[in-house]
């Protein structure tokens, strides 16, 4: 396991492995990838898109014939998870876009995942069928009913092998529990419950029960005009089933303990970095809004992403983060135009590697950034078709901030803000990452010597 | 050959603080300069930037209005006039334009298989 290697690990060389999706000139809106998630073993990789579809890739078994090629991800199953809806009562258009996918740990031969759009969470079962029964008594092989009076002999149907078929079936639909838009779902470590969070409320569900959920956080003010902050993300602690955190648009994180009260409006811990009031500007609150919060695998730390930085917090220290990493500080002098084109509201996600030693997040121009917490070194890489030769090593990229631009640097003004990497995922134990670049999914791996 | 990693973007608390005060002494911070630019373009921009306006807009996402009564009344009034051709501003929570069925975008589910699976 990588845990012990952390401080001794050589610099990782990232190589192109695969890219999924097409190179169309124009991007169809529904093809835009909206979430990416590995399952707990890393065998499966799921993506959700704006068109409400889920595509699951499965890693092929490593073959002894090609030891230099680590298992590639191939399509395993694809299905339409959510459809567009219109709530006539509220005159509300409900997008089919998949906001989040979360896998359940595997407990039998089938795979289970939760997928959610703005309003409805669904539990999907993905299972394989490689045998089918033949020799029914009451119907023939085409399925047509046989005339019972013509049946003279009774037979026992037998199972015969068939071509592998992967089926996805919706097993539970958890609907009508959110007035506002769901931004997060998180499976609890008890594997019996999960939570769904919208802008103002968080609900706790039992996987078996779809017609009831417990409200555990409610920050809706009595008078909506007094609304000052919304919930932006929420997650359960990886080991303690009573503990969860949620982040806000004001840059704060609250940790709650479900043992203290049924309604966790009073936090157990409150994480906030003190702000220098003289530094305050019109943009301060907007860029401090946390777009993602993730527990480390160890459960000791949380990582938050706001517009310009990624921060690591120690659960035992509420008054400031222990580490702050600049993702693209050069954008600070572009905030005016980023506000005008709405980019300032982009919600970037962040991820930990398996050993919690490296963190990764996306940026613009199809750049993504990795920060090594031990060596304090960072790298900027690009997800681009030009770097798509098999096993091609990714060259680090650099943004030039004014002054002389070197040959292979790119200036801030040349960055393409329509190419944003909001969603990335890191394999739970290996150096394999999945990066969603609009409508394409890139898979990168570290170099195998 | 190992690809060189960039110099740390890691920030030490005390170091950053010193740098900030030095910057303040020297020139207006980039954020403040951007704020001035924005205020120059939109002088009426609200006093509480991170407050209710943004949040209300966020909570109202997806809101569309169609009232068949209003629509038919407007149609009757407009019988002799030309209907406005421009679509409504889809960001408006409520507008002075009465939406018509034609204005609401067509909602079709994507029955096409994802291109990632191709």
């Amino acid at each position: 396991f990588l845990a012990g290697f952390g401080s001794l690990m050589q610099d990782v060389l990232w190589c192109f492995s695969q890219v999924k999706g097409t190179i169309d000139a124009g991007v169809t809106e529904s093809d835009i990838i909206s979430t990416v998630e590995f399952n707990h073993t890393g065998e499966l990789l799921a993506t959700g898109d704006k068109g409400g579809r889920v595509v699951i890739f499965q890693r092929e078994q490593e073959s002894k014939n090609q030891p230099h090629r680590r298992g590639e991800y191939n399509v395993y199953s694809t299905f339409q998870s959510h459809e567009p809806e219109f709530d006539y009562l509220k005159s509300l258009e409900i997008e089919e876009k998949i906001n989040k996918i979360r896998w359940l740990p595997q407990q039998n031969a089938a795979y289970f995942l939760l997928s959610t759009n703005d309003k409805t969470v669904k539990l999907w079962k993905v299972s394989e069928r490689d045998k089918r029964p033949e020799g029914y008594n009451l119907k023939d092989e085409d399925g047509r009913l046989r005339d019972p009076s013509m049946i003279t002999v009774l037979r026992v149907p037998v199972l015969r092998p068939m071509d592998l078929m992967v089926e996805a079936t919706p097993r539970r639909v958890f609907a009508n529990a959110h007035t506002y838009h769901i931004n997060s779902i998180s499976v609890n470590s008890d594997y019996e419950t999960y939570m769904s969070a919208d802008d103002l409320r968080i609900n706790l569900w039992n996987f078996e029960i779809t017609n009831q959920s417990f409200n555990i956080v409610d920050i809706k003010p009595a008078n909506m005009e007094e609304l000052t902050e919304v919930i932006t993300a929420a997650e359960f602690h990886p080991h303690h089933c009573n503990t969860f955190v949620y982040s806000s648009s004001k840059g704060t994180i609250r940790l709650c303990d479900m043992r203290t009260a049924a309604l966790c409006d009073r936090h157990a811990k409150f994480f906030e970095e003190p702000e220098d009031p003289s530094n305050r500007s019109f943009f301060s609150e907007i860029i401090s809004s946390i777009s993602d919060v993730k527990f480390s695998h160890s459960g000791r730390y949380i990582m938050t992403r706001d517009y310009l930085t990624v921060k690591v917090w120690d659960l035992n220290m509420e008054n400031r983060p222990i580490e702050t990493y600049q993702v693209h500080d050069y954008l600070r002098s572009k905030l005016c135009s980023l506000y005008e084109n709405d980019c300032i509201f982009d919600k970037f996600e962040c991820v930990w590697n398996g050993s919690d030693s490296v963190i990764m997040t996306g940026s613009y121009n199809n750049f993504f950034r990795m920060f090594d917490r031990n060596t304090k070194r960072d790298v900027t890489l690009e997800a681009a078709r030009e770097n798509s030769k098999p096993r091609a090593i990714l060259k680090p990229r650099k943004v030039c901030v004014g002054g002389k631009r070197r040959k292979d640097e790119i200036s801030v003004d040349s960055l393409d803000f329509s190419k944003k990497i909001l969603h990335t995922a890191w394999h739970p134990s290996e150096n394999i990452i999945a990066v969603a670049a609009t409508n394409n999914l890139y898979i990168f791996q570290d170099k195998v010597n | 050959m190992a690809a060189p990693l960039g110099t740390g973007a890691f920030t030490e608390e005390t170091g950053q603080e010193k740098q900030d005060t030095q910057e303040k002494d020297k020139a207006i911070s980039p954020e403040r300069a951007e704020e001035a630019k924005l205020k120059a373009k939109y002088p009426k921009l609200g006093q509480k930037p991170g407050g209710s306006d943004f949040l209300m807009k966020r909570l109202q996402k997806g809101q569309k209005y169609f009232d068949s009564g209003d629509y038919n009344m407007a149609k009757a009034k407009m019988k002799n006039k030309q209907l406005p051709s421009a679509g409504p501003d889809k960001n408006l929570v409520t507008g002075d334009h009465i939406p018509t069925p034609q204005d609401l975008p067509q909602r079709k589910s994507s029955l096409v298989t994802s291109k990632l699976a191709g």
Side-chain angles (χ1 to χ4, degrees):
Chain A
F1 196 71
L2 290 174
F5 283 75
S7 49
L8 300 174
M9 213 154 68
Q10 302 248 304
D11 289 349
V12 173
L13 292 178
W14 288 98
C15 305
F16 171 83
S17 175
Q18 299 170 270
V19 62
K20 310 279 185 192
T22 57
I23 329 168
D24 294 333
V27 177
T28 319
E29 181 110 355
S30 56
D31 290 332
I32 296 173
I33 301 168
S34 49
T35 185
V36 189
E37 188 83 356
F38 280 100
N39 76 338
H40 295 264
T41 60
E43 182 203 351
L44 300 181
L45 175 61
T47 61
D49 67 21
K50 266 196 159 187
R53 299 163 299 190
V54 171
V55 181
I56 301 175
F57 302 92
Q58 183 186 44
R59 195 173 182 194
E60 64 186 16
Q61 304 280 22
E62 286 174 35
S63 86
K64 293 193 177 72
N65 301 332
Q66 297 178 307
H68 61 277
R69 229 181 75 162
R70 306 254 288 284
E72 284 196 342
Y73 285 85
N74 302 317
V75 179
Y76 179 65
S77 173
T78 179
F79 54 93
Q80 185 79 35
S81 172
H82 288 70
E83 307 237 348
E85 289 174 65
F86 195 86
D87 181 338
Y88 297 100
L89 209 57
K90 297 179 190 165
S91 275
L92 193 67
E93 198 172 64
I94 302 167
E95 268 193 307
E96 66 276 35
K97 171 167 78 90
I98 308 295
N99 292 335
K100 287 277 155 49
I101 288 173
R102 289 288 182 263
W103 290 94
L104 270 68
Q106 201 177 3
Q107 292 177 300
N108 53 37
Y111 302 102
F112 287 88
L113 62 81
L114 286 177
S115 68
T116 188
N117 70 348
D118 282 339
K119 295 287 179 181
T120 304
V121 185
K122 295 188 185 181
L123 175 69
W124 287 88
K125 175 180 178 182
V126 183
S127 50
E128 295 181 4
R129 195 199 287 260
D130 60 358
K131 296 185 251 300
R132 72 157 168 252
E134 285 177 18
Y136 283 102
N137 289 292
L138 296 176
K139 56 180 178 174
D140 62 24
E141 295 313 318
D142 297 328
R144 281 178 300 211
L145 293 173
R146 293 166 77 189
D147 180 357
S149 60
M150 300 290 282
I151 299 169
T152 53
V153 183
L154 212 56
R155 58 187 176 172
V156 177
V158 288
L159 290 174
R160 295 224 184 277
M162 60 180 259
D163 289 336
L164 179 67
M165 196 167 78
V166 182
E167 304 176 302
T169 47
R171 302 297 292 171
R172 305 272 187 276
V173 177
F174 305 92
N176 305 318
H178 287 279
T179 307
Y180 303 98
H181 299 99
I182 298 173
N183 51 58
S184 312
I185 44 175
S186 180
V187 178
N188 204 348
S189 52
D190 63 10
Y191 303 163
E192 284 186 7
T193 57
Y194 76 92
M195 70 154 122
S196 54
D198 68 32
D199 293 315
L200 298 178
R201 300 190 176 103
I202 302 180
N203 294 330
L204 181 71
W205 301 83
N206 181 300
F207 281 109
E208 299 303 314
I209 300 166
T210 58
N211 60 358
Q212 277 184 55
S213 78
F214 285 107
N215 175 241
I216 52 177
V217 173
D218 188 338
I219 65 166
K220 184 175 179 196
N223 181 0
M224 280 299 270
E225 290 189 8
E226 289 168 1
L227 182 71
T228 55
E229 68 183 322
V230 294
I231 297 168
T232 52
E235 197 181 49
F236 268 118
H237 190 283
H239 318 307
H240 304 308
C241 56
N242 54 289
T243 305
F244 65 92
V245 293
Y246 68 91
S247 58
S248 85
S249 53
K250 276 189 160 178
T252 64
I253 308 101
R254 288 170 178 80
L255 182 139
C256 301
D257 185 337
M258 295 196 290
R259 295 170 301 187
T260 54
L263 191 58
C264 297
D265 280 358
R266 296 232 307 268
H267 53 261
K269 291 194 190 224
F270 181 68
F271 299 85
E272 185 179 35
E273 182 167 27
E275 190 200 14
D276 181 357
S278 60
N279 253 349
R280 194 163 176 79
S281 77
F282 173 84
F283 303 110
S284 297
E285 194 173 302
I286 304 172
I287 62 172
S288 73
S289 176
I290 292 172
S291 48
D292 195 14
V293 66
K294 292 267 173 41
F295 271 101
S296 63
H297 293 89
S298 63
R300 258 205 74 179
Y301 305 103
I302 46 174
M303 165 168 54
T304 57
R305 174 72 155 98
D306 52 60
Y307 192 59
L308 299 176
T309 73
V310 190
K311 295 181 169 138
V312 177
W313 306 74
D314 185 322
L315 282 194
N316 299 318
M317 189 163 78
E318 298 167 59
N319 62 349
R320 60 180 170 83
I322 54 167
E323 294 154 32
T324 299
Y325 300 94
Q326 303 295 330
V327 182
H328 38 216
D329 197 60
Y330 46 77
L331 296 184
R332 211 175 280 270
S333 52
K334 297 281 167 208
L335 292 177
C336 180
S337 34
L338 292 169
Y339 175 85
E340 289 180 291
N341 62 18
D342 273 355
C343 282
I344 206 174
F345 299 106
D346 285 337
K347 297 183 179 62
F348 291 94
E349 292 171 6
C350 53
V351 290
W352 298 88
N353 74 340
S355 59
D356 298 335
S357 59
V358 184
I359 57 184
M360 171 169 68
T361 190
S363 178
Y364 294 104
N365 209 72
N366 278 352
F367 287 170
F368 56 100
R369 305 260 286 137
M370 287 184 192
F371 303 93
D372 188 316
R373 298 178 60 218
N374 298 321
T375 63
K376 300 298 181 225
R377 291 193 2 220
D378 63 278
V379 69
T380 304
L381 300 172
E382 183 181 4
R385 290 273 174 176
E386 293 81 60
N387 310 330
S388 305
K389 279 200 283 245
R391 294 183 297 286
I393 296 176
L394 295 185
K395 207 173 98 143
R397 301 305 313 262
K398 191 139 199 295
V399 177
C400 159
V401 196
K404 266 186 147 179
R405 186 179 74 86
R406 289 209 193 92
K407 197 178 62 168
D408 51 359
E409 288 181 355
I410 182 167
S411 76
V412 184
D413 298 309
S414 309
L415 294 174
D416 187 340
F417 290 94
S418 68
K419 294 189 179 164
K420 37 194 115 185
I421 294 188
L422 305 173
H423 314 286
T424 61
W426 204 310
H427 187 286
S429 54
E430 293 182 46
N431 277 338
I432 303 173
I433 54 176
V435 175
T438 317
N439 60 335
N440 287 165
L441 182 74
Y442 287 82
I443 299 174
F444 302 109
Q445 298 185 2
D446 66 351
K447 187 170 168 59
V448 180
N449 292 312
Chain B
M1 213 167 83
L5 291 181
T7 52
F10 171 70
T11 328
E12 282 266 354
E13 265 255 321
T14 48
Q16 187 62 24
E17 273 169 7
K18 273 191 199 153
Q19 215 180 335
D20 275 344
T21 43
Q22 280 170 3
E23 268 178 4
K24 264 182 285 179
D25 292 340
K26 282 188 189 159
I28 196 166
S29 78
E31 243 180 85
R32 287 284 184 82
E34 290 295 298
E35 180 181 25
K37 243 195 253 177
L38 195 68
K39 290 237 158 100
K41 277 193 182 179
Y42 310 100
K44 285 195 180 159
L45 211 50
Q47 292 309 304
K48 271 184 74 175
S52 300
D53 287 342
F54 288 141
L55 302 180
M56 280 311 200
K57 196 172 156 182
R58 182 183 176 137
L59 298 178
Q60 294 279 4
K61 174 192 161 199
Q63 203 80 50
K64 300 263 186 285
Y65 291 97
F66 175 71
D67 185 309
S68 62
D70 284 348
Y71 169 68
N72 285 305
M73 294 278 284
K75 211 164 84 164
K77 265 188 210 165
M78 295 260 193
K79 227 180 185 176
N80 300 324
K81 295 183 202 167
Q82 191 117 40
L83 278 169
S85 51
D89 177 355
K90 293 188 170 59
N91 288 327
L92 280 179
V93 170
T94 53
D96 43 19
H97 171 97
I98 294 170
T100 63
Q102 294 93 296
D103 293 335
L104 296 174
Q106 289 298 315
R107 297 315 327 275
K108 274 186 221 166
S109 68
S110 20
L111 299 172
V112 180
T113 310
S114 164
K115 289 178 188 137
L116 294 184

